[in-house]
Amino acid sequence: MLLSSGGFAIYRGFLPIYKILIPRYGSISNRANREKILATWLRSKGFRRTGLEPEQLSARILEECRTGGDFVRIVMDSVAAQQQAQRWAVYDPDNVLHVEKVKRDIPNALFVHIIRDGRDIALSLKKMGGFAPLPWDRSETNSLVATALYWEWMIHRGRTGGRHFPADYIEIRYEDLMTNPHETLGRLGTFIGQELDYDKIQRAGLGRLSESNSSFREEGKEKINPLGRWKERLSAANVAAIEGAVGPCLEENGYQLSLPPAERRISARASLMRSIYPAFLGGKFWVKMKTPVGRLADVSALELTDEPPTVAQSVRS
Protein backbone atom coordinates (compact mmCIF):
# COMPACT_ATOMS: atom_id res chain seq x y z
CA MET A 1 0.00 0.00 0.00
CA LEU A 2 2.80 2.42 0.84
CA LEU A 3 4.68 1.72 -2.38
CA SER A 4 1.45 2.14 -4.35
CA SER A 5 0.70 5.51 -2.76
CA GLY A 6 3.34 7.45 -4.70
CA GLY A 7 6.54 9.13 -3.54
CA PHE A 8 8.10 5.89 -2.29
CA ALA A 9 10.88 4.05 -4.08
CA ILE A 10 9.56 0.83 -5.60
CA TYR A 11 11.57 -1.95 -4.04
CA ARG A 12 10.08 -5.37 -3.41
CA GLY A 13 13.24 -7.14 -2.33
CA PHE A 14 14.54 -8.82 0.81
CA LEU A 15 17.10 -6.90 2.89
CA PRO A 16 17.86 -9.14 5.90
CA ILE A 17 20.96 -7.43 7.20
CA TYR A 18 20.01 -7.83 10.88
CA LYS A 19 18.23 -11.16 10.49
CA ILE A 20 20.75 -13.14 8.43
CA LEU A 21 23.83 -11.32 7.16
CA ILE A 22 25.26 -9.86 10.38
CA PRO A 23 24.64 -13.04 12.44
CA ARG A 24 26.22 -15.09 9.65
CA TYR A 25 29.34 -13.00 9.04
CA GLY A 26 29.77 -10.86 12.15
CA SER A 27 29.78 -7.13 12.89
CA ILE A 28 29.64 -5.03 9.77
CA SER A 29 32.04 -2.52 11.39
CA ASN A 30 34.82 -4.99 10.59
CA ARG A 31 35.95 -4.58 6.97
CA ALA A 32 36.62 -8.28 6.43
CA ASN A 33 33.09 -9.08 7.61
CA ARG A 34 31.75 -6.24 5.48
CA GLU A 35 33.40 -7.72 2.40
CA LYS A 36 31.81 -11.12 3.07
CA ILE A 37 28.39 -9.55 3.64
CA LEU A 38 28.71 -7.54 0.45
CA ALA A 39 29.88 -10.53 -1.61
CA THR A 40 26.86 -12.54 -0.47
CA TRP A 41 24.43 -9.66 -0.93
CA LEU A 42 25.55 -9.05 -4.51
CA ARG A 43 24.55 -12.63 -5.33
CA SER A 44 21.09 -12.26 -3.80
CA LYS A 45 17.69 -11.74 -5.38
CA GLY A 46 17.32 -8.73 -3.11
CA PHE A 47 20.25 -7.06 -4.85
CA ARG A 48 19.04 -8.06 -8.31
CA ARG A 49 15.77 -6.30 -7.59
CA THR A 50 17.45 -3.00 -6.74
CA GLY A 51 18.43 -2.37 -10.37
CA LEU A 52 21.69 -0.85 -9.10
CA GLU A 53 25.16 -1.27 -10.57
CA PRO A 54 27.38 -3.32 -8.24
CA GLU A 55 30.53 -1.21 -8.51
CA GLN A 56 29.14 2.07 -7.18
CA LEU A 57 27.09 0.37 -4.46
CA SER A 58 30.06 -1.77 -3.42
CA ALA A 59 32.32 1.25 -3.05
CA ARG A 60 29.84 3.04 -0.79
CA ILE A 61 29.18 -0.01 1.39
CA LEU A 62 32.86 -0.79 1.83
CA GLU A 63 33.85 2.80 2.62
CA GLU A 64 30.82 4.20 4.49
CA CYS A 65 29.10 1.25 6.14
CA ARG A 66 29.67 0.66 9.86
CA THR A 67 26.26 -0.59 11.06
CA GLY A 68 23.33 -2.59 9.75
CA GLY A 69 21.43 0.66 9.48
CA ASP A 70 24.16 2.13 7.27
CA PHE A 71 23.76 -0.86 4.95
CA VAL A 72 19.99 -0.42 4.71
CA ARG A 73 20.29 3.34 4.25
CA ILE A 74 22.97 3.13 1.54
CA VAL A 75 21.05 0.53 -0.45
CA MET A 76 17.67 2.20 -0.13
CA ASP A 77 18.93 5.77 -0.60
CA SER A 78 20.57 4.56 -3.82
CA VAL A 79 17.36 2.90 -5.00
CA ALA A 80 15.35 6.04 -4.18
CA ALA A 81 17.86 8.33 -5.94
CA GLN A 82 17.79 6.14 -9.04
CA GLN A 83 13.99 6.39 -9.16
CA GLN A 84 13.90 10.06 -8.12
CA ALA A 85 11.73 9.08 -5.16
CA GLN A 86 11.57 11.07 -1.91
CA ARG A 87 11.10 8.19 0.53
CA TRP A 88 11.62 4.48 0.95
CA ALA A 89 10.24 1.66 3.07
CA VAL A 90 11.45 -1.85 3.82
CA TYR A 91 9.34 -4.77 4.98
CA ASP A 92 10.10 -7.87 7.05
CA PRO A 93 7.99 -9.17 9.96
CA ASP A 94 11.20 -9.92 11.87
CA ASN A 95 11.98 -6.20 11.99
CA VAL A 96 9.95 -6.14 15.22
CA LEU A 97 12.83 -8.02 16.84
CA HIS A 98 15.32 -5.25 16.01
CA VAL A 99 13.40 -2.03 16.65
CA GLU A 100 15.86 -0.58 19.16
CA LYS A 101 18.90 -1.49 17.06
CA VAL A 102 17.37 -0.07 13.88
CA LYS A 103 16.43 3.15 15.68
CA ARG A 104 19.95 3.51 17.02
CA ASP A 105 21.40 2.97 13.54
CA ILE A 106 18.78 5.02 11.63
CA PRO A 107 17.63 7.79 14.01
CA ASN A 108 14.84 9.06 11.71
CA ALA A 109 13.32 5.60 11.21
CA LEU A 110 9.56 5.16 11.61
CA PHE A 111 8.03 1.80 12.51
CA VAL A 112 4.68 0.50 11.30
CA HIS A 113 3.78 -2.67 13.21
CA ILE A 114 0.96 -4.52 11.45
CA ILE A 115 -0.90 -6.93 13.72
CA ARG A 116 -3.24 -9.67 12.52
CA ASP A 117 -5.61 -11.95 14.43
CA GLY A 118 -3.46 -14.62 16.09
CA ARG A 119 -5.95 -17.35 15.22
CA ASP A 120 -5.57 -16.61 11.50
CA ILE A 121 -1.80 -16.35 11.94
CA ALA A 122 -1.62 -19.73 13.68
CA LEU A 123 -3.69 -21.33 10.92
CA SER A 124 -1.67 -19.73 8.11
CA LEU A 125 1.81 -20.33 9.55
CA LYS A 126 0.96 -23.95 10.34
CA LYS A 127 -0.18 -24.53 6.77
CA MET A 128 2.90 -22.94 5.20
CA GLY A 129 5.38 -24.32 7.74
CA GLY A 130 6.38 -20.83 8.81
CA PHE A 131 7.09 -21.76 12.42
CA ALA A 132 8.55 -25.00 13.79
CA PRO A 133 7.24 -25.97 17.24
CA LEU A 134 9.40 -28.03 19.54
CA PRO A 135 9.52 -31.70 18.46
CA TRP A 136 7.11 -32.86 21.14
CA ASP A 137 4.54 -30.23 20.16
CA ARG A 138 3.96 -31.35 16.57
CA SER A 139 0.39 -32.64 17.02
CA GLU A 140 -2.26 -30.49 15.34
CA THR A 141 -3.55 -28.78 18.47
CA ASN A 142 -0.19 -28.32 20.17
CA SER A 143 1.43 -26.96 17.01
CA LEU A 144 -1.37 -24.40 16.65
CA VAL A 145 -0.97 -23.35 20.29
CA ALA A 146 2.81 -23.11 19.89
CA THR A 147 2.41 -20.96 16.77
CA ALA A 148 -0.07 -18.70 18.56
CA LEU A 149 2.45 -18.30 21.39
CA TYR A 150 5.07 -17.33 18.79
CA TRP A 151 2.62 -14.69 17.46
CA GLU A 152 2.15 -13.35 20.98
CA TRP A 153 5.92 -13.26 21.60
CA MET A 154 6.54 -11.35 18.37
CA ILE A 155 3.88 -8.78 19.23
CA HIS A 156 5.31 -8.25 22.69
CA ARG A 157 8.84 -7.88 21.33
CA GLY A 158 7.75 -5.28 18.80
CA ARG A 159 5.67 -3.43 21.34
CA THR A 160 8.49 -3.42 23.88
CA GLY A 161 10.83 -1.90 21.31
CA GLY A 162 8.26 0.62 20.15
CA ARG A 163 7.61 1.77 23.70
CA HIS A 164 11.05 3.39 23.72
CA PHE A 165 10.11 5.56 20.71
CA PRO A 166 6.35 6.22 21.03
CA ALA A 167 6.38 9.14 18.59
CA ASP A 168 7.99 6.99 15.90
CA TYR A 169 6.02 3.75 16.32
CA ILE A 170 2.45 2.91 15.31
CA GLU A 171 0.35 -0.24 15.37
CA ILE A 172 -2.12 -0.97 12.58
CA ARG A 173 -4.51 -3.91 12.57
CA TYR A 174 -4.58 -5.87 9.33
CA GLU A 175 -8.34 -6.28 9.67
CA ASP A 176 -8.80 -2.49 9.88
CA LEU A 177 -6.83 -2.04 6.67
CA MET A 178 -9.17 -4.50 4.97
CA THR A 179 -12.52 -3.34 6.38
CA ASN A 180 -11.94 0.38 6.92
CA PRO A 181 -9.04 1.35 4.64
CA HIS A 182 -9.80 5.07 4.25
CA GLU A 183 -9.80 5.83 7.98
CA THR A 184 -6.90 3.48 8.75
CA LEU A 185 -4.75 4.89 5.96
CA GLY A 186 -5.67 8.39 7.10
CA ARG A 187 -4.29 7.63 10.54
CA LEU A 188 -1.20 6.03 9.06
CA GLY A 189 -0.71 8.95 6.67
CA THR A 190 -0.79 11.40 9.56
CA PHE A 191 1.83 9.32 11.35
CA ILE A 192 4.26 9.17 8.42
CA GLY A 193 3.51 12.72 7.25
CA GLN A 194 2.19 11.80 3.82
CA GLU A 195 -1.24 11.58 2.22
CA LEU A 196 -2.27 8.00 1.51
CA ASP A 197 -5.05 8.10 -1.07
CA TYR A 198 -6.81 4.72 -1.04
CA ASP A 199 -8.24 5.12 -4.54
CA LYS A 200 -4.80 5.94 -5.94
CA ILE A 201 -3.34 2.97 -4.09
CA GLN A 202 -5.96 0.66 -5.58
CA ARG A 203 -5.27 1.94 -9.09
CA ALA A 204 -1.53 1.35 -8.74
CA GLY A 205 -2.11 -2.07 -7.20
CA LEU A 206 1.54 -2.97 -6.67
CA GLY A 207 2.63 -6.25 -5.14
CA ARG A 208 0.18 -8.13 -2.97
CA LEU A 209 -2.65 -5.72 -3.76
CA SER A 210 -3.00 -7.54 -7.09
CA GLU A 211 -1.04 -10.75 -6.50
CA SER A 212 -1.91 -12.65 -3.35
CA ASN A 213 0.77 -14.43 -1.33
CA SER A 214 -1.79 -16.15 0.87
CA SER A 215 -1.00 -19.70 1.96
CA PHE A 216 -4.55 -20.48 0.76
CA ARG A 217 -4.26 -18.82 -2.66
CA GLU A 218 -4.39 -22.12 -4.53
CA GLU A 219 -8.01 -22.45 -3.43
CA GLY A 220 -8.98 -19.31 -5.35
CA LYS A 221 -10.93 -17.73 -2.50
CA GLU A 222 -8.43 -15.20 -1.16
CA LYS A 223 -10.04 -12.19 -2.83
CA ILE A 224 -13.45 -13.14 -1.45
CA ASN A 225 -12.62 -12.96 2.24
CA PRO A 226 -9.15 -13.21 3.78
CA LEU A 227 -10.52 -12.28 7.22
CA GLY A 228 -11.56 -14.66 9.97
CA ARG A 229 -10.62 -17.77 8.03
CA TRP A 230 -10.04 -19.52 11.35
CA LYS A 231 -13.79 -19.52 11.99
CA GLU A 232 -14.31 -21.96 9.12
CA ARG A 233 -11.12 -24.00 9.30
CA LEU A 234 -10.30 -24.52 12.96
CA SER A 235 -12.19 -27.03 15.04
CA ALA A 236 -13.90 -25.87 18.21
CA ALA A 237 -11.28 -27.75 20.24
CA ASN A 238 -8.43 -25.98 18.46
CA VAL A 239 -10.07 -22.58 18.84
CA ALA A 240 -10.55 -23.28 22.54
CA ALA A 241 -6.90 -24.26 22.89
CA ILE A 242 -5.63 -21.14 21.11
CA GLU A 243 -7.96 -18.78 22.95
CA GLY A 244 -7.06 -20.43 26.24
CA ALA A 245 -3.36 -19.90 25.56
CA VAL A 246 -3.31 -16.37 24.07
CA GLY A 247 -6.79 -15.04 24.87
CA PRO A 248 -5.53 -12.02 26.84
CA CYS A 249 -3.27 -10.97 23.97
CA LEU A 250 -6.11 -11.36 21.46
CA GLU A 251 -8.38 -9.17 23.58
CA GLU A 252 -5.57 -6.68 24.22
CA ASN A 253 -5.36 -6.17 20.44
CA GLY A 254 -9.09 -5.78 19.94
CA TYR A 255 -10.00 -9.33 18.91
CA GLN A 256 -13.16 -10.71 20.46
CA LEU A 257 -12.93 -14.22 21.87
CA SER A 258 -15.45 -16.63 20.40
CA LEU A 259 -15.89 -18.99 23.35
CA PRO A 260 -17.03 -18.42 26.95
CA PRO A 261 -14.40 -18.76 29.69
CA ALA A 262 -15.54 -22.24 30.70
CA GLU A 263 -14.86 -23.57 27.19
CA ARG A 264 -11.43 -21.99 26.77
CA ARG A 265 -9.95 -22.81 30.14
CA ILE A 266 -6.22 -23.28 29.59
CA SER A 267 -5.05 -26.88 29.89
CA ALA A 268 -2.08 -28.00 31.97
CA ARG A 269 -0.15 -28.71 28.76
CA ALA A 270 -0.90 -25.27 27.31
CA SER A 271 0.01 -23.65 30.62
CA LEU A 272 3.37 -25.40 30.50
CA MET A 273 3.84 -24.28 26.89
CA ARG A 274 3.11 -20.68 27.94
CA SER A 275 6.02 -20.95 30.35
CA ILE A 276 8.40 -22.63 27.94
CA TYR A 277 7.94 -20.86 24.60
CA PRO A 278 8.73 -17.25 25.52
CA ALA A 279 11.95 -18.41 27.20
CA PHE A 280 12.76 -20.73 24.31
CA LEU A 281 12.15 -18.08 21.65
CA GLY A 282 14.01 -15.39 23.58
CA GLY A 283 16.93 -17.71 24.24
CA LYS A 284 17.10 -18.86 20.63
CA PHE A 285 17.14 -15.26 19.44
CA TRP A 286 19.86 -14.29 21.92
CA VAL A 287 22.05 -17.22 20.91
CA LYS A 288 21.69 -16.35 17.23
CA MET A 289 22.53 -12.68 17.72
CA LYS A 290 25.14 -12.89 20.49
CA THR A 291 27.12 -16.10 19.97
CA PRO A 292 29.04 -17.84 17.17
CA VAL A 293 25.99 -20.04 16.59
CA GLY A 294 24.71 -17.17 14.44
CA ARG A 295 27.33 -18.17 11.86
CA LEU A 296 25.00 -21.05 11.01
CA ALA A 297 22.27 -18.63 9.85
CA ASP A 298 20.59 -20.04 6.74
CA VAL A 299 21.13 -17.90 3.63
CA SER A 300 18.82 -19.89 1.35
CA ALA A 301 16.10 -17.24 1.66
CA LEU A 302 18.43 -14.84 -0.19
CA GLU A 303 18.06 -16.93 -3.38
CA LEU A 304 21.73 -16.65 -4.26
CA THR A 305 23.23 -17.02 -7.72
CA ASP A 306 26.49 -18.93 -8.15
CA GLU A 307 28.51 -15.87 -9.16
CA PRO A 308 28.39 -12.15 -8.30
CA PRO A 309 26.87 -10.00 -11.06
CA THR A 310 28.64 -7.97 -13.67
CA VAL A 311 27.34 -4.52 -14.54
CA ALA A 312 25.38 -5.96 -17.44
CA GLN A 313 23.74 -8.52 -15.17
CA SER A 314 22.64 -6.06 -12.50
CA VAL A 315 19.15 -5.50 -13.80
CA ARG A 316 15.84 -5.74 -12.06
CA SER A 317 14.51 -9.31 -11.99
Side-chain angles (χ1 to χ4, degrees):
M1 283 182 162
L2 288 180
L3 302 194
S4 297
S5 68
F8 281 88
I10 308 303
Y11 177 68
R12 295 174 57 203
F14 189 36
L15 200 59
I17 183 67
Y18 294 102
K19 178 180 179 179
I20 296 176
L21 292 171
I22 290 177
R24 173 86 177 201
Y25 297 109
S27 171
I28 203 168
S29 63
N30 178 288
R31 186 178 176 95
N33 296 341
R34 198 154 65 243
E35 290 174 350
K36 294 174 185 177
I37 287 171
L38 177 63
T40 300
W41 169 247
L42 291 179
R43 295 168 50 211
S44 73
K45 185 176 182 179
F47 168 74
R48 297 192 294 273
R49 284 193 163 185
T50 65
L52 300 172
E53 294 186 358
E55 284 81 359
Q56 184 177 6
L57 184 65
S58 297
R60 288 197 63 192
I61 288 176
L62 290 177
E63 295 306 318
E64 302 175 28
C65 202
R66 297 296 182 273
T67 68
D70 288 341
F71 186 93
V72 174
R73 178 182 51 78
I74 289 169
V75 170
M76 293 308 304
D77 281 355
S78 299
V79 171
Q82 177 179 253
Q83 299 180 18
Q84 298 183 318
Q86 294 78 46
R87 308 186 75 173
W88 50 261
V90 293
Y91 165 79
D92 183 349
D94 281 356
N95 285 340
V96 297
L97 301 176
H98 306 285
V99 169
E100 293 178 68
K101 187 176 294 185
V102 173
K103 190 63 175 174
R104 183 180 66 234
D105 292 352
I106 310 177
N108 63 341
L110 300 176
F111 300 90
V112 181
H113 185 178
I114 301 176
I115 296 173
R116 190 176 186 182
D117 190 320
R119 293 161 293 194
D120 273 330
I121 292 292
L123 177 65
S124 178
L125 283 184
K126 183 177 184 302
K127 188 176 191 301
M128 64 189 292
F131 173 71
L134 292 166
W136 49 86
D137 289 325
R138 301 289 171 83
S139 69
E140 181 179 11
T141 298
N142 288 340
S143 64
L144 286 166
V145 169
T147 306
L149 289 169
Y150 169 66
W151 166 83
E152 180 182 63
W153 179 76
M154 290 285 281
I155 286 178
H156 288 167
R157 286 297 299 248
R159 189 164 285 159
T160 298
R163 221 175 263 131
H164 291 90
F165 319 102
D168 298 326
Y169 169 90
I170 190 173
E171 293 176 0
I172 298 290
R173 292 203 326 166
Y174 171 82
E175 292 79 9
D176 293 337
L177 275 174
M178 297 297 101
T179 60
N180 193 7
H182 291 88
E183 181 178 330
T184 307
L185 288 171
R187 184 164 70 91
L188 180 57
T190 299
F191 170 73
I192 67 172
Q194 181 165 324
E195 181 181 5
L196 300 177
D197 186 317
Y198 180 66
D199 295 327
K200 180 179 180 180
I201 289 169
Q202 289 295 98
R203 286 195 298 271
L206 294 176
R208 301 311 177 191
L209 291 177
S210 57
E211 177 190 352
S212 172
N213 68 341
S214 168
S215 54
F216 295 89
R217 61 187 178 277
E218 76 279 1
E219 300 179 14
K221 298 180 180 180
E222 175 66 15
K223 288 187 178 297
I224 297 175
N225 184 15
L227 305 181
R229 191 181 285 113
W230 63 270
K231 296 176 183 177
E232 300 175 357
R233 297 178 180 268
L234 291 179
S235 68
N238 286 336
V239 172
I242 293 172
E243 292 187 356
V246 298
C249 188
L250 285 166
E251 290 186 308
E252 179 182 307
N253 288 283
Y255 298 108
Q256 185 175 359
L257 302 184
S258 65
L259 299 173
E263 294 183 33
R264 52 180 161 83
R265 184 177 296 114
I266 189 168
S267 67
R269 178 63 175 270
S271 181
L272 180 62
M273 292 171 70
R274 276 199 61 82
S275 300
I276 290 174
Y277 272 89
F280 164 69
L281 291 167
K284 182 179 177 182
F285 178 72
W286 185 88
V287 167
K288 178 181 178 180
M289 302 305 298
K290 301 292 187 180
T291 76
V293 173
R295 301 302 172 97
L296 302 176
D298 185 5
V299 297
S300 61
L302 294 170
E303 300 183 55
L304 302 178
T305 58
D306 292 334
E307 299 293 336
T310 65
V311 174
Q313 291 172 327
S314 64
V315 295
R316 193 176 302 240
S317 61

